[in-house]
Short mmCIF file of all heavy atoms in Angstrom, two decimals:
data_model
loop_
_atom_site.label_atom_id
_atom_site.label_comp_id
_atom_site.label_asym_id
_atom_site.label_seq_id
_atom_site.Cartn_x
_atom_site.Cartn_y
_atom_site.Cartn_z
N ASP A 132 104.01 83.59 -48.94
CA ASP A 132 105.39 83.15 -48.77
C ASP A 132 106.23 83.58 -49.97
O ASP A 132 107.37 84.05 -49.82
CB ASP A 132 105.46 81.63 -48.66
CG ASP A 132 104.81 81.08 -47.40
OD1 ASP A 132 104.12 81.84 -46.70
OD2 ASP A 132 104.99 79.88 -47.13
N TYR A 133 105.66 83.40 -51.16
CA TYR A 133 106.41 83.71 -52.38
C TYR A 133 106.62 85.22 -52.49
O TYR A 133 107.68 85.67 -52.98
CB TYR A 133 105.69 83.16 -53.60
CG TYR A 133 105.29 81.71 -53.45
CD1 TYR A 133 104.06 81.25 -53.93
CD2 TYR A 133 106.11 80.80 -52.78
CE1 TYR A 133 103.69 79.93 -53.76
CE2 TYR A 133 105.73 79.48 -52.61
CZ TYR A 133 104.51 79.05 -53.10
OH TYR A 133 104.13 77.74 -52.93
N ALA A 134 105.63 86.00 -52.04
CA ALA A 134 105.79 87.45 -52.05
C ALA A 134 106.92 87.89 -51.12
O ALA A 134 107.71 88.78 -51.45
CB ALA A 134 104.48 88.12 -51.65
N ILE A 135 107.01 87.26 -49.95
CA ILE A 135 108.09 87.58 -49.01
C ILE A 135 109.45 87.24 -49.61
O ILE A 135 110.40 88.03 -49.54
CB ILE A 135 107.86 86.83 -47.68
CG1 ILE A 135 106.63 87.39 -46.96
CG2 ILE A 135 109.09 86.93 -46.78
CD1 ILE A 135 106.16 86.53 -45.80
N LEU A 136 109.55 86.05 -50.20
CA LEU A 136 110.81 85.65 -50.82
C LEU A 136 111.19 86.58 -51.97
O LEU A 136 112.36 86.95 -52.13
CB LEU A 136 110.71 84.20 -51.30
CG LEU A 136 110.65 83.14 -50.21
CD1 LEU A 136 110.24 81.79 -50.78
CD2 LEU A 136 111.99 83.02 -49.48
N HIS A 137 110.20 86.96 -52.76
CA HIS A 137 110.46 87.87 -53.89
C HIS A 137 110.97 89.21 -53.39
O HIS A 137 111.95 89.77 -53.92
CB HIS A 137 109.19 88.03 -54.71
CG HIS A 137 109.34 88.92 -55.90
ND1 HIS A 137 109.01 90.26 -55.86
CD2 HIS A 137 109.81 88.67 -57.14
CE1 HIS A 137 109.27 90.79 -57.04
NE2 HIS A 137 109.74 89.86 -57.84
N ARG A 138 110.31 89.75 -52.35
CA ARG A 138 110.75 91.03 -51.80
C ARG A 138 112.16 90.94 -51.22
O ARG A 138 112.89 91.94 -51.19
CB ARG A 138 109.77 91.51 -50.72
CG ARG A 138 108.45 91.99 -51.25
CD ARG A 138 107.70 92.81 -50.21
NE ARG A 138 107.42 92.05 -49.01
CZ ARG A 138 106.31 91.33 -48.81
NH1 ARG A 138 105.39 91.26 -49.77
NH2 ARG A 138 106.13 90.68 -47.69
N ALA A 139 112.53 89.75 -50.76
CA ALA A 139 113.87 89.56 -50.20
C ALA A 139 114.93 89.37 -51.29
O ALA A 139 116.12 89.22 -50.97
CB ALA A 139 113.87 88.36 -49.26
N GLY A 140 114.49 89.36 -52.56
CA GLY A 140 115.44 89.33 -53.64
C GLY A 140 115.68 87.99 -54.30
O GLY A 140 116.71 87.79 -54.95
N TYR A 141 114.70 87.07 -54.17
CA TYR A 141 114.87 85.73 -54.74
C TYR A 141 113.93 85.50 -55.92
O TYR A 141 112.75 85.87 -55.86
CB TYR A 141 114.58 84.65 -53.69
CG TYR A 141 115.49 84.71 -52.50
CD1 TYR A 141 115.08 85.30 -51.30
CD2 TYR A 141 116.78 84.18 -52.57
CE1 TYR A 141 115.93 85.36 -50.20
CE2 TYR A 141 117.64 84.24 -51.47
CZ TYR A 141 117.20 84.83 -50.30
OH TYR A 141 118.04 84.90 -49.21
N HIS A 142 114.44 84.88 -56.98
CA HIS A 142 113.56 84.21 -57.92
C HIS A 142 112.88 83.07 -57.15
O HIS A 142 113.49 82.46 -56.26
CB HIS A 142 114.34 83.57 -59.07
CG HIS A 142 115.18 84.50 -59.88
ND1 HIS A 142 114.66 85.31 -60.87
CD2 HIS A 142 116.52 84.72 -59.87
CE1 HIS A 142 115.64 85.99 -61.44
NE2 HIS A 142 116.78 85.66 -60.85
N VAL A 143 111.65 82.73 -57.54
CA VAL A 143 110.93 81.64 -56.87
C VAL A 143 110.34 80.71 -57.92
O VAL A 143 109.69 81.16 -58.87
CB VAL A 143 109.79 82.18 -55.97
CG1 VAL A 143 109.03 81.01 -55.31
CG2 VAL A 143 110.34 83.12 -54.90
N LEU A 144 110.57 79.41 -57.73
CA LEU A 144 109.87 78.38 -58.49
C LEU A 144 109.01 77.61 -57.52
O LEU A 144 109.51 76.98 -56.59
CB LEU A 144 110.85 77.43 -59.18
CG LEU A 144 110.19 76.24 -59.89
CD1 LEU A 144 109.34 76.70 -61.07
CD2 LEU A 144 111.24 75.21 -60.34
N ALA A 145 107.68 77.68 -57.72
CA ALA A 145 106.72 76.92 -56.90
C ALA A 145 105.94 76.03 -57.86
O ALA A 145 105.42 76.51 -58.87
CB ALA A 145 105.78 77.86 -56.15
#
Side-chain angles (χ1 to χ4, degrees):
D132 293 11
Y133 311 141
I135 291 168
L136 290 167
H137 181 264
R138 288 197 300 270
Y141 299 100
H142 302 280
V143 179
L144 174 66

